[in-house]
Amino acid sequence: MTANGGDGPSIAIVGGGIGGLALATCLLRQGRRVRIYEQASAFARVGTGIQMGPNAMKVLTGLGLRERLEPVAYSPPHFGNREWDSGVDTFSLPIGVDAEARYGAPYYMLHRGDLHQALQEAVPAEVVQLRSRLTRIEPDGERVRLRFEDGTSADADFVVGADGVHSVVREQVFTTDDATYTGRMAYRAVFPTDLVRGEKPGPATKWWGIDRHIVIYYVSAGREVYFTTSVPEDGSAVESWSAMGRMEDLLRTFEGFHPEVQRVLEACPTVHKWAIYDRGALSSWNDGHIVLLGDACHPMTPYMAQGAATALEDAVVLSRCLAEFGLDDPDVTFGAYEQARKPRTTRIQESSRANTWLRNATDPSWVYSYDAWQAPLPVRREMSGLTDPTIR
C-alpha cells in the first residue's frame, strides 16, 4: 500500500475518525491519492466503549483487522435486556458463537480507543495531517479548497466530509435543520473491572427503567467495564465527549435500580456526560465534488449502537462506488452511493430514535446480516447520469 496512491484525482478526507480511516484504507488499496485532515494534535485513547455488531465486523474483517482486534475484544455469549428493579429478563439475544453462525461475523465489544488505534495502524502516517481544523470549504469548479484554523489551506479534486456530528463540511455546504436537544443525558465511564466489589456484572445488559436506562458491558478483553445511560435532564446542554458529570447525580438518578447496577455505579471513580441531540435526515449527501460520510450525513441517537457501524459501512460502499463508476461524473458516483446507503441509514435512524431496540423479542437480521462488501449497488443505464434507481 502506497501512501498517496497513483496519479489520479486527489481525495481529501476531512476527519480522522473511524469512518475516515476506514475509507482511507479502502481507497489506498485502490491506489488512489488520499489525504486525511484531522483537527486533533494527536490521536488519544478516548475512554468509551463501542459495540461492533456482525455488520461492522464484516467491514473490519475485510480490512484485515479482525485478528488485530481479537486480543482486546470482549465477545459476550448473549446481550440481555432486563427490567430495572426486578432484573426480569425481557429478551436475551445470543451473540457469542451464535452471532457468527447466524449473521456471518462475531459480535465484539471494544474500547473505542483500541478500535481507532487498529484503524490508524492500517493507514500510513504520512497520509494523515494532524492539527488541521477546518474553518472554511470553498468549492471552485473542478477543485475544492480547504482552509484551516492555522491559516494554511489545501486543494483537492474531491472532498469527503467524515468530520462527525459537528461536521463543518455539512454545515457550510448542505442545507440542515438545527439540532434538537432531546432532554436526555448520557453518562459514560470506563474503569477497571477489579474495582467492582462482590459479584461482577453480567456479560452485557441493558437495564430498562420507566424513563431511563443503563447499558453495561465489558471491553478490553474483560479487563474493563463500560456503562452508558440515557436519563432525563432539563435545560440546554453541551454535546461534548469531554464534559464531566457528578457521581452523586448519577447515583441519585439510578436509586432503586437492581443491585447489579448499584455495584457498578458505586465502583465508578469518575464519569463523563454527553447531551443527546437529535437531527433530521439530510435531503442530499452530495454536492458536486463534495460528499458526506457517517455522522456527518446521518447522525443518530445511540440507542442501537450503530453510529460507528454505519460509518464503516458507508466507507466500504463509497469506495465500491468509486471503483464501479469512477470519478469522471461525480453526480453518478456519489448519487449511486447515496442511493445504496440512504434507505438503510434512515431506517436505522428512525428505529434508534424510538429506543425500543431489543427490549422484547426481536429479529435483528436486517441490521446484523448486512454485508457492505456485497450489498447491491444501483444500476447506471446511461453513462451521462444515474437515471435508473434499480438496485442490483
Side-chain angles (χ1 to χ4, degrees), residues 164-226:
V165 69
H166 299 294
S167 172
V168 175
V169 178
R170 181 189 66 226
E171 294 302 319
Q172 291 195 11
V173 178
F174 298 84
T175 301
T176 63
D177 296 328
D178 291 337
T180 303
Y181 177 50
T182 62
R184 308 192 68 81
M185 187 69 64
Y187 287 82
R188 297 174 167 183
V190 175
F191 57 93
T193 304
D194 290 344
L195 293 181
V196 181
R197 297 180 180 179
E199 186 178 354
K200 297 297 187 283
T205 306
K206 184 169 184 176
W207 299 86
W208 294 85
I210 297 171
D211 64 349
R212 63 202 63 195
H213 72 249
I214 180 169
V215 181
I216 303 171
Y217 58 84
Y218 296 100
V219 298
S220 307
R223 295 185 298 274
E224 294 180 294
V225 63
Y226 169 73

Side-chain angles (χ1 to χ4, degrees), residues 319-342:
S319 71
R320 290 177 57 208
C321 287
L322 289 169
E324 177 76 11
F325 301 111
L327 281 167
D328 290 339
D329 189 340
D331 289 338
V332 169
T333 301
F334 297 154
Y337 157 68
E338 184 174 327
Q339 286 196 41
R341 292 294 300 151
K342 196 170 185 180

Side-chain angles (χ1 to χ4, degrees), residues 180-348:
T180 303
Y181 177 50
T182 62
R184 308 192 68 81
M185 187 69 64
Y187 287 82
R188 297 174 167 183
V190 175
F191 57 93
T193 304
D194 290 344
L195 293 181
V196 181
R197 297 180 180 179
E199 186 178 354
K200 297 297 187 283
T205 306
K206 184 169 184 176
W207 299 86
W208 294 85
I210 297 171
D211 64 349
R212 63 202 63 195
H213 72 249
I214 180 169
V215 181
I216 303 171
Y217 58 84
Y218 296 100
V219 298
S220 307
R223 295 185 298 274
E224 294 180 294
V225 63
Y226 169 73
F227 70 79
T228 183
T229 75
S230 175
V231 302
E233 191 163 305
D234 294 334
S236 62
V238 177
E239 193 177 21
S240 169
W241 285 88
S242 59
M244 299 299 296
R246 300 196 309 170
M247 282 306 305
E248 55 265 36
D249 294 338
L250 182 59
L251 290 167
R252 184 170 58 253
T253 298
F254 285 93
E255 285 180 357
F257 268 63
H258 194 273
E260 186 171 313
V261 175
Q262 300 298 328
R263 287 195 298 273
V264 171
L265 296 182
E266 289 167 359
C268 179
T270 59
V271 68
H272 288 80
K273 60 187 296 186
W274 173 60
I276 301 175
Y277 279 75
D278 195 13
R279 293 169 171 84
L282 293 179
S283 59
S284 177
W285 295 357
N286 66 95
D287 188 322
H289 287 224
I290 301 169
V291 67
L292 300 175
L293 177 150
D295 281 344
C297 55
H298 49 72
M300 55 188 68
T301 54
Y303 304 136
M304 286 177 65
Q306 284 294 310
T310 51
L312 288 168
E313 293 174 357
D314 288 349
V316 171
V317 174
L318 178 55
S319 71
R320 290 177 57 208
C321 287
L322 289 169
E324 177 76 11
F325 301 111
L327 281 167
D328 290 339
D329 189 340
D331 289 338
V332 169
T333 301
F334 297 154
Y337 157 68
E338 184 174 327
Q339 286 196 41
R341 292 294 300 151
K342 196 170 185 180
R344 174 174 170 82
T345 59
T346 298
R347 184 181 178 186
I348 293 175

